Amino acid sequence: METNGLRQRSPTSKNYGSTNGNVVITEAGRAADKRLDQHETFEFGGPWGVAAIITGFPVLMYYLWICLWFYDGKLVYPTSVDDIQPFLLKMWGHIQKDASPNLYAWEVYSGFFFFQLFIAWVLPGFKQEGLPVPSLGYKTLMYNCNALQCWYTTIVVSFVLHWTGVFRLTQIIDNYGHLMTVGMIYGFGVSFITYFHAVATKTTIRMSGNFVYDFFMGAALNPRLGPVDLKMWAEVRIPWVIVFYLAVSGACKQYDTLGYVTPNMLFMCLATGLYINACAKGEECIPQTWDMYHEKWGFMVIFWNFAGVPFSYVYSVVYMASHDPSAYRFSTLGYVVIYTTLLTAYYIWDTSMAQKSHFKMQTQGVLNFRRTFPQLPWHTVENPTFIQTAHGNRLLTSGWWRYSRKPNYVADFTMSFTWGAIIGTATFIPYFYPVFFITVLVHRCSRDFERCAIKYGKDWERYCEVVKYKFIPGIY
Ligand code: NDP
């Protein structure tokens, strides 16, 4: 039985109502879930903290871009009090000239944005049932996972546009500043529109009553546009596709200007390509992540996907596209080390995420998993060990999950580090991504563990005794 993407378990099924495959959500579990759906404490430093993030991040993004683009990757700053005003005017001048939201950027970003929305809407996909949503009375949502079809379609269309000269991919990196500004405007605009829509339609959840904080955290949990789940769409179809095309654009630019593409730029094409491909090929695992069933659709998620990730994660590409390769050339051994590190981290990230998602799907009764390219060995743990919680859910204690409580974070962070390290010491600005990301992951991890402690109580403590380390076994 399906209504508006919601699936109600068949009343004839013995799983009807309070069960999740062969996992039964107990009364205690329901009480904990209910508590987690109420606003209890302010996160991110409360209203003042989120106000600082909302205003500070765009400023930081402009600042780092200006340093990279105009000052050879060096951090510039006023050297005296008298210098502050001229310095700020100079910064503003750069933004006005090279990061204005011009017609070209509107056309390119909007064209890309609505093309992604259109193909997500119309292309067929793999149907994946999400986890039971407590706030929907434990109904599950169906997800049309067509990111892979959309990703392949995008590759073909972009290749044709480039080849025919209708839209040369080289232009993307040349218009970085302009596109970044339009991405930010989309981030703010969509956040406002969807916030007020949720309030007007009374689809809000976990509201604090403070406008700034609720705008940042979001109002709705599972907003949809037709068949498109906005959160999942925004997470996969916009940021990682843009970072991939920035890398490809940088490679095209090097080819045009140097006559060849450096191994460093190829590395970024590979790294970003692997990331978007992983998100697309394993899209059916995303409904099992807490981004989908817990995080709301607010400024934090929207701005970060429309502007933050695309325009602050691949500073190394921006630098390489405008600097001579001698500034960041590695020895052969250096290339072997960095490529091997990336591929190893990717393997652990991909398979650890798959192991947990497949385990959760198994507990929902799904035994046959989707097969997409590339299928890596050990994506599913045979005869997994787990802790049965009083809540009803199970916590996996085998596969990568026997070594640490966040093996996926360790691997993801390692990949992010290589995205900066590929530039060596030519400039430190590309290390913004790993530095920022480790902060996000540590904070996210503490939020997640607090949530799990409430949800699972003593069972969580038992789990932490079995899986002792948070990140790296033997160390932390
Ligand atoms: P996890 O995939 O670790 O999911 C956490 C949730 O999984 C917990 O709340 C719990 O939920 C469940 N869980 C935890 N341990 C177990 C276990 N042993 N067995 C079964 N269930 C368990 O984290 P995220 O969803 O935060 O992240 C997903 C990926 O996204 C990560 O790889 C992360 O690096 C990446 N990411 C990337 C970002 C970027 O900007 N590059 C930003 C944010 C995330 P419950 O029990 O309630 O089901």
Side-chain angles (χ1 to χ4, degrees):
M1 212 193 300
E2 225 177 300
T3 44
N4 298 330
L6 281 182
R7 178 178 280 191
Q8 177 81 57
R9 288 180 188 280
S10 158
T12 53
S13 156
K14 68 180 170 53
N15 290 338
Y16 178 68
S18 62
T19 58
N20 167 6
N22 47 7
V23 168
V24 180
I25 310 294
T26 60
E27 283 311 311
R30 281 170 171 262
D33 287 337
K34 199 168 173 196
R35 186 177 157 197
L36 289 167
D37 274 343
Q38 310 298 321
H39 167 77
E40 279 193 350
T41 49
F42 284 112
E43 299 175 284
F44 298 97
W48 287 107
V50 303
I53 297 173
I54 293 170
T55 48
F57 250 108
V59 173
L60 181 65
M61 286 168 66
Y62 278 126
Y63 173 70
L64 292 176
W65 162 73
I66 289 170
C67 292
L68 204 54
W69 202 265
F70 300 101
Y71 299 96
D72 206 21
K74 294 188 179 61
L75 296 181
V76 288
Y77 45 85
T79 46
S80 66
V81 176
D82 291 344
D83 196 26
I84 293 177
Q85 199 189 7
F87 175 82
L88 291 176
L89 285 174
K90 213 186 311 171
M91 296 280 120
W92 178 239
H94 288 312
I95 295 173
Q96 270 187 320
K97 185 166 175 290
D98 286 286
S100 58
N102 61 13
L103 182 63
Y104 173 86
W106 277 110
E107 283 173 357
V108 172
Y109 194 98
S110 305
F112 167 74
F113 187 95
F114 287 106
F115 176 67
Q116 290 303 321
L117 193 56
F118 174 70
I119 54 180
W121 194 304
V122 298
L123 290 182
F126 179 87
K127 298 282 183 288
Q128 176 64 46
E129 188 175 5
L131 294 174
V133 186
S135 59
L136 296 176
Y138 291 93
K139 286 172 189 162
T140 54
L141 291 161
M142 283 306 284
Y143 291 83
N144 183 31
C145 299
N146 60 6
L148 200 64
Q149 290 84 335
C150 294
W151 162 228
Y152 291 161
T153 306
T154 306
I155 293 174
V156 172
V157 170
S158 63
F159 180 77
V160 171
L161 290 177
H162 182 77
W163 200 253
T164 55
V166 174
F167 176 76
R168 300 281 298 166
L169 293 174
T170 325
Q171 297 168 13
I172 303 174
I173 198 83
D174 288 338
N175 288 279
Y176 190 92
H178 303 291
L179 290 166
M180 177 170 71
T181 299
V182 173
M184 288 184 190
I185 296 172
Y186 265 88
F188 276 96
V190 173
S191 301
F192 273 111
I193 292 169
T194 50
Y195 174 85
F196 288 114
H197 178 266
V199 172
T201 54
K202 297 190 170 42
T203 47
T204 60
I205 184 175
R206 230 184 298 134
M207 300 292 269
S208 74
N210 179 290
F211 169 71
V212 180
Y213 185 77
D214 290 336
F215 170 73
F216 179 83
M217 297 301 285
L221 183 61
N222 301 110
R224 292 194 162 204
L225 199 58
V228 180
D229 183 275
L230 287 176
K231 255 194 316 184
M232 199 156 92
W233 174 79
E235 197 162 283
V236 180
R237 319 302 171 88
I238 303 290
W240 305 111
V241 181
I242 296 181
V243 293
F244 172 72
Y245 277 103
L246 281 169
V248 170
S249 179
C252 293
K253 173 123 190 167
Q254 279 194 335
Y255 191 75
D256 282 358
T257 52
L258 304 170
Y260 67 96
V261 181
T262 59
N264 307 58
M265 191 67 96
L266 277 179
F267 175 91
M268 287 307 292
C269 293
L270 174 69
T272 54
L274 279 175
Y275 210 100
I276 168 61
N277 192 66
C279 294
K281 85 177 172 104
E283 194 188 17
E284 78 284 4
C285 299
I286 295 179
Q288 330 292 327
T289 66
W290 84 318
D291 269 359
M292 289 303 119
Y293 61 79
H294 182 74
E295 215 69 279
K296 294 190 283 178
W297 172 247
F299 178 87
M300 176 174 72
V301 169
I302 300 168
F303 183 86
W304 205 240
N305 282 318
F306 291 173
V309 170
F311 297 103
S312 69
Y313 279 18
V314 287
Y315 287 134
S316 50
V317 168
V318 179
Y319 184 85
M320 288 190 278
S322 53
H323 286 78
D324 190 81
S326 58
Y328 51 83
R329 193 169 286 133
F330 286 9
S331 65
T332 307
L333 180 64
Y335 285 120
V336 170
V337 169
I338 200 158
Y339 271 80
T340 309
T341 306
L342 173 75
L343 293 174
T344 309
Y346 173 78
Y347 172 74
I348 297 173
W349 180 62
D350 183 317
T351 49
S352 62
M353 294 285 291
Q355 285 176 357
K356 176 157 70 69
S357 292
H358 288 170
F359 171 73
K360 286 195 178 206
M361 287 179 201
Q362 282 168 332
T363 65
Q364 276 183 289
V366 178
L367 299 175
N368 291 317
F369 307 115
R370 187 184 178 202
R371 297 189 80 76
T372 46
F373 178 78
Q375 285 295 301
L376 299 176
W378 215 32
H379 57 68
T380 308
V381 183
E382 300 291 334
N383 304 316
T385 55
F386 56 84
I387 286 182
Q388 175 66 59
T389 67
H391 171 282
N393 275 1
R394 293 168 181 178
L395 294 167
L396 178 64
T397 53
S398 45
W400 293 112
W401 299 86
R402 68 189 275 203
Y403 300 112
S404 106
R405 279 174 256 150
K406 290 288 184 191
N408 51 344
Y409 280 16
V410 177
D412 206 354
F413 168 73
T414 308
M415 286 195 288
S416 76
F417 183 76
T418 65
W419 292 28
I422 194 62
I423 206 77
T425 52
T427 160
F428 288 99
I429 292 178
Y431 289 90
F432 169 79
Y433 173 30
V435 170
F436 167 78
F437 195 41
I438 189 84
T439 320
V440 168
L441 290 180
V442 169
H443 181 243
R444 197 175 158 96
C445 179
S446 71
R447 287 175 70 212
D448 186 33
F449 287 173
E450 272 170 32
R451 190 183 143 275
C452 289
I454 293 175
K455 187 166 178 177
Y456 299 122
K458 289 238 171 304
D459 295 318
W460 184 252
E461 288 169 23
R462 202 152 56 92
Y463 169 69
C464 294
E465 274 165 27
V466 175
V467 184
K468 286 195 178 55
Y469 296 100
K470 275 189 189 172
F471 291 122
I472 303 174
I475 299 179
Y476 180 68

